[in-house]
Amino acid sequence: MELTQAALNDLLDQLGPAGGHLYLPGDLDPEELTDLLTDRYGAPRTLVLDGRTDPAVDASRGAALLSPFGDRAVTLRAWAYGDQWVGAGTTRDAEGGERAVLAVARREVPGAWAVAPRDGEEEDADWVGRLRGITGWAEAARRPDVDWVGMESRLGTALPGDYKRMVETFGAGAFDAFLDLRQEPRTGPRADGLLIWAGTEHEELYCWRVEGDDPDRWPVVVRSFDDGDVRFDCGAAEFVCRVLVDPEHPFTMARYFGTHWFMNYRTGQSI
């Protein structure tokens, strides 16, 4: 069987939104399947390796994928994608033979985090904490040891604390596989006081207007592909929260995604 992204689409369509699992042809390379899924969904979590299940696996880390296989799973990796878990690996069949498998299971996203607080709520809200809840993020910090001193020295300025926490928490990737979180801000193409911290595939740039001595009070500015600017008087993490869940936000993603997630880029496997 030749594996392509189109062939993978067909397999996932067979499983459908309700989930299930498929045993795959014997000539299929399980690692090739894993690579395809990683290219699409980012770095996976390893649930089972050499027949041993990660003891940290629970409902928030893809345990639903293990249900059809009992103790027969040999290797199984999982990706979070919206309200689904996607899993791939190998498992033993009834005769004890090892077979490649693709699985899909429902993923519960905590309902308590479905709506971010409205304007006027507490000024010191933990927006990164809210963002973890909105995305159902249960991983350990991906980049806890970022050299902020060196980065800020290169940039010639301190950076907002909520942005640092986002990078430390989530690492390299994109919210809803769309809003790309930069790992180091950069200046814009013009010397106009903007520092870019994120962007989208629609060529929108999410920036700060560098004004004043307190980075935590810098406003967010969205620069569109036609160089139009829209200002928001909030921090980066609050801005992302509102984009994800507020259907009235001018750059909302809530109209397109009912649940939200963070897609890790290929930075290594989480075990």
Side-chain angles (χ1 to χ4, degrees), residues 14 48 89 143 148 180 182 221 229:
Q14 290 181 50
V48 182
R143 298 193 63 202
W148 295 115
D180 179 65
R182 292 189 60 86
V221 172
D229 289 350

Side-chain angles (χ1 to χ4, degrees), residues 143-208:
R143 298 193 63 202
D145 301 319
V146 179
D147 179 12
W148 295 115
V149 173
M151 187 183 302
E152 290 171 334
S153 177
R154 289 191 297 274
L155 293 169
T157 180
L159 293 170
D162 65 334
Y163 165 77
K164 295 179 185 179
R165 286 187 60 208
M166 278 199 296
V167 171
E168 290 170 354
T169 299
F170 296 99
F175 294 97
D176 288 3
F178 179 78
L179 194 163
D180 179 65
L181 178 64
R182 292 189 60 86
Q183 300 300 284
E184 179 167 345
R186 63 177 177 86
T187 56
R190 303 195 301 264
D192 52 6
L194 294 182
L195 197 57
I196 302 165
W197 56 270
T200 73
E201 61 186 35
H202 289 172
E203 300 182 21
E204 295 162 342
L205 299 177
Y206 296 159
C207 318
W208 295 290

Side-chain angles (χ1 to χ4, degrees), residues 10 12 27-29 47 67 73 119 128 147 159-160 175-176 206 234 260:
D10 290 341
L12 291 171
D27 61 346
L28 185 145
D29 182 354
L47 306 184
S67 298
D119 292 328
V128 176
D147 179 12
L159 293 170
F175 294 97
D176 288 3
Y206 296 159
C234 65
H260 305 282

Side-chain angles (χ1 to χ4, degrees), residues 54-66:
D54 179 356
V57 171
D58 58 18
S60 68
R61 293 174 171 85
L65 290 168
L66 299 176

Side-chain angles (χ1 to χ4, degrees), residues 87-261:
T90 58
T91 184
R92 300 195 184 282
D93 58 23
E95 288 73 39
E98 190 171 326
R99 301 183 62 181
V101 67
L102 177 68
V104 171
R106 298 292 296 175
R107 174 174 177 256
E108 296 296 328
V109 178
W113 297 94
V115 178
R118 296 289 182 180
D119 292 328
E121 282 203 88
E122 64 269 31
E123 188 173 327
D124 59 348
D126 179 5
W127 290 102
V128 176
R130 296 182 192 276
L131 195 52
R132 288 177 62 98
I134 289 169
T135 59
W137 183 261
E139 306 289 338
R142 284 301 177 103
R143 298 193 63 202
D145 301 319
V146 179
D147 179 12
W148 295 115
V149 173
M151 187 183 302
E152 290 171 334
S153 177
R154 289 191 297 274
L155 293 169
T157 180
L159 293 170
D162 65 334
Y163 165 77
K164 295 179 185 179
R165 286 187 60 208
M166 278 199 296
V167 171
E168 290 170 354
T169 299
F170 296 99
F175 294 97
D176 288 3
F178 179 78
L179 194 163
D180 179 65
L181 178 64
R182 292 189 60 86
Q183 300 300 284
E184 179 167 345
R186 63 177 177 86
T187 56
R190 303 195 301 264
D192 52 6
L194 294 182
L195 197 57
I196 302 165
W197 56 270
T200 73
E201 61 186 35
H202 289 172
E203 300 182 21
E204 295 162 342
L205 299 177
Y206 296 159
C207 318
W208 295 290
R209 174 73 65 192
V210 180
E211 55 184 32
D213 297 328
D214 184 357
D216 291 327
R217 301 188 72 83
W218 290 347
V220 168
V221 172
V222 177
R223 170 159 290 176
S224 63
F225 67 93
D226 59 359
D227 285 345
D229 289 350
V230 182
R231 174 179 171 132
F232 298 88
D233 289 314
C234 65
E238 178 179 352
F239 177 84
V240 175
C241 285
R242 295 193 183 282
V243 164
L244 293 181
V245 301
D246 182 357
E248 302 304 318
H249 194 283
F251 297 94
T252 188
M253 290 150 68
R255 298 174 187 169
Y256 310 105
F257 302 107
T259 57
H260 305 282
W261 70 101

